[in-house]
Amino acid sequence: MKKYKVLAIIVVVIYFLQSIFTPFGGIMSDSLSYFGIAEDLPIPETNLFPLGYPLLIKFFHLIFQDYFWAYKILNLLFTISILIFSYKRKFYFRETTLLFAGKTFFCVFTQAISESAFIFVLYFLVYFLHEILIKPQRIYKNASIAALLIVSLFSIRYSAVFIYLGILVFFFLNFIKIKNAIYFKAFFLFLILSGIGISGYLFLNYLEFKSFTGEQLRGTPNGMTYLYVIRDLLGVCNVIDPFIGLKPASNSLGSLLFQGFILVIDIFIFMYFFRYYKKAKETLQRNFHVLLWVVAVVYTFALLFSGWIQQIEEMGVRLLAAANFCLFFSFLILYFKYNVDDEKIWWISCFFLVFLTAYSLKDPAYYLTKKEVVKAQMPKFKDKKYLFNDERNIKTLTKYEIPIIKKTFDYEHTNKQKGKLKESLAGSVYPKIKWLKYDTVRNKSEVLYTSQLSID
């Protein structure tokens, strides 16, 4: 157990420091949207994003007066709280620690994205559902808390409705088996309270904004192409693989073939996971593991189909974080139950924690220095209402050479694109400014173009 305590401390340090030494500081386009909503509070202008995460960011911004440090401290508290809770409550501490060595936790808890709060709350929801299904004590109290948590999830990301849908599917598929269980009424109460809470949030949204989830603001969906569908389906493999998260970097045949190769590996990983899942039938925890798997499957496909009819990004690590967490957690619990020797999973997890850290720092930069450079320029642009990256066509390429065959190729590093970096820095320093996906504002004097900023 000692080595897991040491790993937990290392995780906290890595997670806190990692984004400080990356060019973007863990801040992306969606982060700017959340910062903007937080800045608008208590009078939000849109319900395109739920208010849960912006409220948290707003609270910590009131303390630190800086959105970068607000999200950093928030993520730090998320990480420490999960680890301490798991250790004190003896809730699968080894398994929880190894979750932090995987791609999902590494991705969400090192960036300014709502998935950090989403996974944090989901972890505790899983805990209380575990208590309801496994332990007969305080089941009605646990059911009430679980209902509050799932409503909180919905206030952070609307996709929480797919978590609720997955739990409903589990309930009806297992109705015959659990109808005489001691927790049946409590579980039913949880479903009713959760449904009321989610419906209430949607009703308030409609009263205030005349739409349930800001659907009128999402734009017209792009036309469906075979290539788009293939890329999306390949992205779904992120649900399976606990350590490697990839999606096609381009539409080239080579890129898609490489992703197909990763998919083959992920199929074998899925078969390995499923072998342990079948063993769950032999344990008292059967229903708990069935619940995690059903939620993961329903969430994945509901989100996939939702993405096809809405204007959202392709399937990837972020979008599928909840499903990957459910599958990986179930696997780890069963792995430790049936294996005395943990050396293999321990070293694999440690290796990928180092790999993920090194990969994220492949293009290191001290974020705080660049932030101060942009911050010094922003006072002269205080009259600007909008922010647009007009340097998208200016690509910064890095040339690499393959040893032995001496073949060179150019690679476009996301972290080295100056226009995108300026957009991220300016938006975090001055969140009142609204970033634009397209340069559609007629009065150009109201727009701050990234070409007007310098980061050198």
Side-chain angles (χ1 to χ4, degrees):
M1 186 65 74
K2 182 179 179 180
K3 63 183 180 183
Y4 289 96
K5 295 178 185 178
V6 173
L7 181 60
I9 295 172
I10 292 173
V11 161
V12 171
V13 174
I14 289 176
Y15 276 35
F16 183 73
L17 294 178
Q18 182 267 347
S19 59
I20 296 176
F21 297 100
T22 59
F24 284 84
I27 296 171
M28 55 184 62
S29 296
D30 278 359
S31 309
L32 303 184
S33 297
Y34 292 120
F35 295 166
I37 296 171
E39 196 71 9
D40 291 336
L41 292 175
I43 307 175
E45 297 178 359
T46 174
N47 64 336
L48 184 59
F49 297 98
L51 296 179
Y53 186 63
L55 278 169
L56 291 171
I57 289 292
K58 179 74 171 183
F59 175 78
F60 282 90
H61 180 263
L62 291 174
I63 299 173
F64 298 100
Q65 296 298 305
D66 187 296
Y67 281 102
F68 173 76
W69 290 113
Y71 104 78
K72 288 294 295 179
I73 300 303
L74 182 60
N75 281 3
L76 177 66
L77 292 177
F78 286 157
T79 303
I80 293 175
S81 298
I82 289 175
L83 289 168
I84 291 178
F85 178 87
S86 173
Y87 180 74
K88 291 294 186 180
R89 288 299 183 106
K90 296 181 173 57
F91 183 65
Y92 305 118
F93 177 68
R94 293 178 301 176
E95 295 84 343
T96 298
T97 303
L98 294 187
L99 283 173
F100 282 95
K103 67 179 183 187
T104 291
F105 275 37
F106 189 92
C107 171
V108 304
F109 290 120
T110 59
Q111 300 187 80
I113 50 179
S114 62
E115 283 82 1
S116 60
F118 192 77
I119 294 298
F120 173 75
V121 175
L122 180 59
Y123 180 86
F124 287 95
L125 173 63
V126 167
Y127 167 77
F128 282 102
L129 290 175
H130 174 275
E131 297 299 286
I132 293 170
L133 296 173
I134 304 299
K135 300 179 181 179
Q137 298 85 10
R138 303 187 300 276
I139 53 177
Y140 287 99
K141 178 182 178 181
N142 290 337
S144 300
I145 296 173
L148 287 174
L149 288 172
I150 205 164
V151 175
S152 298
L153 273 181
F154 190 76
S155 74
I156 296 168
R157 289 189 67 82
Y158 292 133
S159 60
V161 72
F162 301 140
I163 300 284
Y164 180 63
L165 178 62
I167 298 172
L168 278 174
V169 171
F170 162 80
F171 180 78
F172 287 112
L173 287 179
N174 292 272
F175 182 82
I176 301 299
K177 293 180 180 179
I178 67 175
K179 67 177 183 178
N180 295 320
I182 191 172
Y183 58 78
F184 178 81
K185 291 182 179 178
F187 199 89
F188 186 70
L189 174 67
F190 154 71
L191 292 174
I192 296 297
L193 293 177
S194 299
I196 292 173
I198 291 173
S199 300
Y201 190 98
L202 289 172
F203 178 68
L204 291 175
N205 256 1
Y206 191 81
L207 287 180
E208 181 68 25
F209 300 102
K210 305 306 178 187
S211 69
F212 293 110
T213 60
E215 53 271 11
Q216 80 283 2
L217 302 174
R218 299 184 186 276
T220 304
N222 293 326
M224 291 282 287
T225 65
Y226 289 115
L227 188 59
Y228 174 82
V229 173
I230 291 172
R231 287 171 62 95
D232 236 15
L233 291 175
L234 288 173
V236 169
C237 72
N238 284 289
V239 171
I240 303 166
D241 198 316
F243 298 113
I244 300 176
L246 293 173
K247 65 179 180 180
S250 70
N251 293 333
S252 68
L253 179 61
S255 177
L256 292 173
L257 287 176
F258 179 71
Q259 184 70 4
F261 171 71
I262 297 297
L263 176 60
V264 172
I265 296 175
D266 289 343
I267 290 172
F268 282 103
I269 293 175
F270 177 80
M271 292 169 63
Y272 187 66
F273 278 19
F274 192 71
R275 192 174 77 186
Y276 278 92
Y277 168 72
K278 290 192 293 186
K279 293 182 179 182
K281 296 178 181 179
E282 306 166 9
T283 71
L284 295 175
Q285 300 172 332
R286 173 196 173 277
N287 286 334
F288 174 66
H289 289 285
V290 172
L291 174 64
L292 290 180
W293 277 67
V294 170
V295 167
V297 172
V298 171
Y299 186 88
T300 298
F301 287 101
L303 197 63
L304 177 66
F305 295 135
S306 174
W308 285 349
I309 62 176
Q310 296 185 73
Q311 191 74 25
I312 63 174
E313 62 186 271
E314 294 174 347
M315 298 296 104
V317 177
R318 275 186 61 201
L319 288 183
L320 297 170
N324 180 261
F325 158 62
C326 289
L327 289 185
F328 192 27
F329 197 34
S330 171
F331 163 73
L332 287 171
I333 293 170
L334 292 168
Y335 183 90
F336 279 98
K337 182 175 183 61
Y338 290 101
N339 291 278
V340 176
D341 185 4
D342 66 347
E343 288 300 305
K344 185 184 296 183
I345 191 68
W346 163 260
W347 286 114
I348 289 175
S349 299
C350 288
F351 169 79
F352 276 104
L353 177 61
V354 173
F355 171 80
L356 290 168
T357 304
Y359 184 79
S360 69
L361 298 174
K362 62 184 181 296
D363 182 32
Y366 189 50
Y367 172 78
L368 297 178
T369 298
K370 293 184 179 296
K371 176 170 172 271
E372 289 304 315
V373 170
V374 171
K375 187 176 181 179
Q377 301 170 59
M378 291 306 292
K380 62 183 178 183
F381 299 117
K382 283 293 185 180
D383 60 326
K384 304 294 185 180
K385 296 180 180 180
Y386 306 99
L387 173 64
F388 180 71
N389 176 12
D390 63 336
E391 300 175 280
R392 294 176 184 176
N393 294 327
I394 303 175
K395 305 295 184 183
T396 301
L397 302 176
T398 304
K399 187 176 291 292
Y400 292 96
E401 181 178 303
I402 302 174
I404 303 176
I405 64 174
K406 301 297 182 180
K407 183 176 181 181
T408 62
F409 67 95
D410 293 325
Y411 182 75
E412 181 185 329
H413 281 287
T414 304
N415 288 347
K416 287 188 176 181
Q417 307 313 307
K418 289 189 176 181
K420 194 71 176 174
L421 178 55
K422 293 176 187 177
E423 180 186 64
S424 172
L425 290 165
S428 62
V429 170
Y430 183 42
K432 266 292 185 183
I433 199 167
K434 306 299 182 185
W435 72 274
L436 301 171
K437 188 173 183 179
Y438 305 105
D439 187 15
T440 54
V441 176
R442 292 185 179 181
N443 186 357
K444 303 304 180 185
S445 65
E446 295 181 334
V447 181
L448 168 59
Y449 293 97
T450 56
S451 58
Q452 296 176 265
L453 296 169
S454 172
I455 56 173
D456 299 319

